[in-house]
Amino acid sequence: MSTVAPSPFQRSEGVVGWVSVHQPVRPQWICAGCGAAWPCRTRKRQLVAEFTGARISLMLHLSAYLVQACEDLPHTPSGVLHARFLAWPRSAALRNE
């Protein structure tokens, strides 16, 4: 059974915000919004905007997802998961898209 993974970090009660449709579907780790590997290009852009000025918080957020993905995708090489979850925020390509 596939489920949309909840954020590993929950917002405080009373916080108003939007929820992206580009959430991970576990255990495949595909995007619920577009079907691409998660995080998809759209979600990456949203995360960069959401965590503007909070790079460490973004990396901690993504690290929590990485741990979940490692549990769900045990046969995927760690370097592939690292690139998928943690390497892209440093990528100049994302900033230029």
Side-chain angles (χ1 to χ4, degrees), residues 9-73:
F9 301 99
Q10 300 299 318
R11 292 184 182 251
S12 299
E13 199 170 304
V15 173
V16 177
W18 56 273
V19 176
S20 175
V21 297
H22 294 273
Q23 297 297 322
V25 176
R26 293 178 65 184
Q28 302 88 353
W29 287 87
I30 58 171
C31 178
C34 65
W38 195 91
C40 64
R41 182 177 294 169
T42 299
R43 188 62 182 139
K44 288 176 183 178
R45 289 183 185 139
Q46 292 170 345
L47 287 165
V48 167
E50 184 179 340
F51 287 91
T52 298
R55 183 180 187 84
I56 293 171
S57 295
L58 172 60
M59 297 307 289
L60 290 170
H61 184 75
L62 291 170
S63 295
Y65 279 120
L66 173 63
V67 170
Q68 292 177 3
C70 287
E71 293 171 354
D72 289 341
L73 304 170

